[in-house]
Each structure stands twice: as C-alpha cells, then as structure tokens.
Amino acid sequence: MRVQNAVVLVTGANRGIGSALVTAFLERGAARVHAGARDPGTLAAVTARDPERIRPLALDITDPTSVTSAALTAPDVTLLVNNAGVHVMGHLLEMDLRDVETVMNTNWLGTLRVLRAFAPVVERNGGGAVVNVISVGAFGGTPSMGGYPASKAALNALTQAVRPDLAPRGIAVHAVYPGPVDTDMLRLAANALPRMAEFPRATTADVARAIIEGVEADTQEIFPDPFAEQLGEEWRRDPKAVERRLTDLA
Ligand SMILES: NC(=O)c1ccc[n+]([C@@H]2O[C@H](COP(=O)([O-])OP(=O)(O)OC[C@H]3O[C@@H](n4cnc5c(N)ncnc54)[C@H](OP(=O)(O)O)[C@@H]3O)[C@@H](O)[C@H]2O)c1
C-alpha cells in the first residue's frame, strides 16, 4: 500500500514508537494521521508538529465504548496501526494475576477490539492495510516478563488468523516484530533485567521508517531493526536456539 495520501490511525501515539510513527507517516505524505491516546491531553506535543494533518483521538483500546466512538470519529481511516501495548514484569507463577489480565486484555483483546471496529471502516474506504506491532518476544517465553510474551504470541496468531479473512476485503495485514527499541517500555524491562543492557537499542525514528518501508513493499513480516532481523533469521533456522536465548534473559 502507498502511504502517500493515506489516512492513518496510530494507537498509542502519544509516546514511544507510536509518536515516531506519526512523524514518519507525515514525512511519507499521509493525508491525515489520527493520533490515538487514552488521554488525549498527552497528545499536545505530537499534534503541534502539524496541526492541520494530525487529529488527536481519544482511544482506550480496552474500553469498548471508547473504541466504538473512535470508529465514528475517524471514519476516513485507510491504514490502521495497532501499536498500543503494555508490559508488566513478573513471574507467571507468582505475580498478581490482574497484571497478567491487563497485559492480555490490552495487547491481545484490545488490539482485536480495535481491528473489529476499524476493518469495516477501512473496507468502506476502498481497502488498505492493518499493521500489528508485535515483538520478537512472541517467539519464546522469558520467565520474568510475565504475560507479555504470551500476549504477543497470541497477537501473532491473531494476525495470521485474520489475514485470509481481510484479504478479499482489500485489506493487507502486516506483522511487525521489533527488537529492543529505546522507549519507556524497554527501560521498564531493562531495569529489571540487567542482561538487556547487552542488546543494541534501535531508535523509534528508525523503527517507524522501517515499518513504513515494509508496508509500502507489501512485506507481511516486518523486522524493523538489525537485532530483530538477526533474531528472525535465527528463528527460521533454529527456533530452539531462539527459545533458549529468550528464556536465558532471566
Ligand atoms: N520498546 C521496545 O523495545 C518494543 C519491542 C517490541 C515491541 N514493542 C511494542 O511496540 C509497541 C509500542 O511500545 P513502546 O515501546 O513505544 O512503549 P511505550 O513507550 O510504553 O508506549 C506504549 C503506548 O501504548 C499506549 N497504551 C497502553 N495501553 C493503552 C490502552 N489501553 N489504550 C490505548 N493506548 C494504550 C500508551 O499510552 P499511555 O501513555 O496512556 O500509557 C503508550 O502510548 C507496543 O505494542 C510494544 O509491545 C516495543
């Protein structure tokens, strides 16, 4: 899909990768970007970059009313980027189960909720694309990362499951598997996992540009940074080695 003149929705656009995606889509010629955030008050700095083309959008992906109302407020979307996500560290056998529920409810069920609301919107606008921001963490479990890897593995399966249903409706589905990217989320994980410091960190700007290049090249699986590319290659060759690398993190 060409980004030029597309109308994009980015969820979780107020910071991190989402915020960088807004800028990158504008640079690539998107006609409009709906910047989703659960608190639109946090979007001031993002919308100030181009008030004409950036529309702040109240969107909490865990709240059905918020999602329904966002689909009515942004009826012109042709490219949906499901970027919003959460991470809570902890060990699955001991941590508060409510934290596991929050992660699954956001990263998996919340993404599905947004997809169900916006697929008809994209279809009505003549088709387009959906981009799900997953993680290389989907390729294995990491003991101290709580429900996050499982939520991303579930999102990966969801992405594959909806692709054949959306193709005849003119909607391409892209899966994005970032490695470590320099954001608040990574800092949270790195604080608890000193070994994360060994890994190179991609910038949000580089990752955002690589995602857009992947969409324009019609790449179904996008590995948007060198670490992700290398892990993806290893996963295709030797999935057991990747499982060991991810479990050995701690
Ligand atoms: N950073 C990495 O190393 C890395 C690696 C692989 C994959 N990813 C994925 O990339 C995506 C972006 O992560 P990031 O690193 O940019 O993290 P981040 O800086 O922590 O940003 C997360 C974004 O998601 C939003 N969000 C969380 N819950 C939401 C909800 N219920 N409704 C709407 N928005 C919600 C946050 O909004 P608030 O400000 O309101 O909290 C924030 O805008 C996530 O899906 C993450 O899993 C990140």
Side-chain angles (χ1 to χ4, degrees), residues 12 14-15 17 38 59-61 83 85 134 148 152 179 181 183:
N14 54 314
R15 59 194 173 98
I17 296 169
R38 47 184 165 183
L59 176 54
D60 180 338
I61 71 169
N83 164 77
I134 308 175
Y148 183 81
K152 293 297 186 173
V181 189
T183 68

Side-chain angles (χ1 to χ4, degrees), residues 58 96 145 228:
D96 191 328
M145 286 202 182

Side-chain angles (χ1 to χ4, degrees), residues 1-8 25-33 53 76-79 125 127 216:
M1 170 180 187
R2 306 301 301 170
V3 167
Q4 182 80 30
N5 293 327
V7 178
V8 184
F25 276 117
L26 292 174
E27 284 171 1
R28 197 59 73 109
R32 181 168 303 139
V33 180
R53 286 193 291 162
D76 50 355
V77 170
T78 58
L79 205 174
N125 292 323
E216 293 212 308

Side-chain angles (χ1 to χ4, degrees), residues 11-18 37-39 42 59-62 83-86 106-107 133-136 148 152 178-186:
T11 67
N14 54 314
R15 59 194 173 98
I17 296 169
R38 47 184 165 183
D39 174 4
T42 59
L59 176 54
D60 180 338
I61 71 169
T62 63
N83 164 77
V86 289
T106 307
N107 298 355
V133 180
I134 308 175
S135 168
V136 290
Y148 183 81
K152 293 297 186 173
V181 189
D182 198 9
T183 68
D184 296 339
M185 187 180 288
L186 182 69

